[in-house]
Amino acid sequence: MYSILNRHQNKSGFKPLPVVIIGNGPSGICLSYLLSGYTPYFKRDSLHPHPILQRKLEEAPDVSILDQDLEYLSEGLEGRSHSPVALLFDTLLRPDTDFGGTAESVLTWWHETDRAIPHLVLGRNPPGGAWHSIEGSMITLSRGEWMGLPDLQFKDWLRQKRRGLRNNRATAEDIAQYYQHYVMKKGLQKNFRCGTVVTSVRKVSAESISNHMQKDLWKSDSLWNFNEEGTEVFQVDGFIKTVKGDKEPFSIYAENVVLATGTYDSPTWLGVKGENLSYVHHQLSALEEAVKNNSIGIMSDPVLIVGAGLTAADAILFAHHCNIPVIHVFRRRVSDPGLIFNQLPKMMYPEYHKVHQMMKEQSAACAGPYECYVSLPEHQVLSFGKDKKCIFQDKNGYQKAYKISMALVLTGSNPNLSFLPNNGIDLAMDSDQPVNSKRNPIDVDPFTYECTQEKGLYALGPLAGDNFVRFVQGGALAVASSLLKKASKNPP
């Protein structure tokens, strides 16, 4: 599938690759686009609705956004992200989208091939990352146009397929196909290696590997070399899954490594007795599978769904649609402002509003209008029994037992950073706790996204606390800007 070269490199010929990106979801794709020489400039004669930003953009119209001071440009912007650069790039691409406006992007893109930085994007799936493993008919939380990447609007792509957006939103399958199309359309595929699994990333000294025989994914004798003698580089090890199903190992060396692996790798466990029994699952696909092979149906004991996020809501909607009885257990109060349902506009998300209403009106204490559904707010699971009996406890310490057919624990997921020393914990904001996109992201510089604890290592997307596709792109802008500045200090 790929010619993996075995090549002996002597000391003078050793050239590490400037950049390796681990993860080929939206943030990895967006960064690859920016590193491939696609350069954003302020479009002359365009008018941004934010007057202060407009004035700043007019100060240096001939200087690419990548070469400007991102901190200065993003100062004073407000919106639905904590990252200043995420807000900046989003407002340049979609100037007034939060106010329901449809103003055109104020950016124009030039393909300046001399500015391209050689890089590789490694990913298990086809381009699009985790979007390929989400059930295809699921509707996205974000509006369809917010899923788009620079200079190829999602709605234009959908229109070519002669389809419209349902309620302004798109299916997971559409999104996955759009990301694959984007990579082809922008000519990025030469940088992508799909079917690759990274098993280790560590720092090594450049001298120690100069005479090393390396199995390589990279076969260009590029002139680029950020490296100065005597410094360290990253060694990235892993394997490629071949067409025959074999695992072929590889090693590559890189000046800079960008972590863009997202956070869908390992679902969170409750840590209670019996959670490893065969009827307890941690992914929504288990319910779809059980319905498909008729092992569960209208007459079954209820399905237990644990969690109060959107995946749990998707599971409830799916079960409701199939007339399967549900017991829904979650720890928060229904009126808790931190509950995602209390933050979504009703008009845009009617189906999630319906779930929220069911949670409110159908508690075990009082039967409500929805058959086949019982809500247990402020409850937690104590144990799962071999006889499929599940024991819960409410906030007052009272316990109850229910007989169930299967359990879905859908309480979020954690990134899998097992390829990093100490699972990447040393890189997190709180280095005593595992990395978590919502509670404990990787500690990065807000204007370069370089890890504060490890120079040359960058983190993007959910790993850095950016959880929506529209906001991961600002991280890519910050990384590309930082890498271009490093490159210009070390001219080829």
Side-chain angles (χ1 to χ4, degrees), residues 6 11 28 77 141 216 324 361 377 397 406 490:
N6 230 349
K11 202 160 190 161
L77 295 177
L141 171 63
D216 208 342
I324 290 165
E361 296 176 15
M406 71 186 289
N490 294 305

Side-chain angles (χ1 to χ4, degrees), residues 381-412:
V381 178
L382 289 186
S383 66
F384 297 102
K386 288 193 172 130
D387 53 0
K388 295 198 176 177
K389 272 212 182 99
C390 181
I391 297 172
F392 311 113
Q393 181 172 303
D394 70 10
K395 61 176 178 187
N396 302 318
Y398 291 117
Q399 295 185 8
K400 19 186 117 126
Y402 280 90
K403 180 96 164 64
I404 60 172
S405 57
M406 71 186 289
L408 291 168
V409 177
L410 303 172
T411 52

Side-chain angles (χ1 to χ4, degrees), residues 7 9-20 117-120 202 204-207 209-212 214 216-236 251-257 490:
R7 66 175 189 200
Q9 297 196 312
N10 60 29
K11 202 160 190 161
S12 58
F14 173 72
K15 289 267 190 289
L17 190 58
V19 186
V20 166
I117 295 181
H119 63 281
L120 274 184
R202 60 199 175 93
V204 290
S205 78
E207 273 91 49
I209 48 172
S210 295
N211 300 319
H212 182 62
Q214 67 170 321
D216 208 342
L217 293 176
W218 180 251
K219 47 180 191 296
S220 141
D221 292 317
S222 158
L223 294 168
W224 281 78
N225 192 3
F226 285 50
N227 210 340
E228 290 159 28
E229 282 302 305
T231 54
E232 293 183 311
V233 293
F234 293 95
Q235 179 174 334
V236 180
S251 265
I252 27 184
Y253 297 98
E255 296 282 338
N256 300 278
V257 168
N490 294 305

Side-chain angles (χ1 to χ4, degrees), residues 32-94:
S32 175
Y33 177 70
L34 294 166
L35 295 182
S36 298
Y38 288 97
T39 310
Y41 288 87
F42 176 55
K43 200 190 295 174
R44 285 178 185 269
D45 306 327
S46 58
L47 195 60
H48 197 285
H50 193 296
I52 298 171
L53 180 58
Q54 173 73 19
R55 206 166 59 241
K56 290 177 181 175
L57 291 166
E58 286 170 348
E59 285 169 11
D62 299 323
V63 181
S64 139
I65 303 294
L66 286 165
D67 299 326
Q68 294 196 36
D69 180 342
L70 299 181
E71 186 168 359
Y72 171 65
L73 286 180
S74 59
E75 201 178 3
L77 295 177
E78 290 175 356
R80 300 181 188 181
S81 168
H82 299 301
S83 157
V85 187
L87 290 172
L88 170 67
F89 202 31
D90 185 63
T91 192
L92 294 172
L93 291 169
R94 290 169 276 269

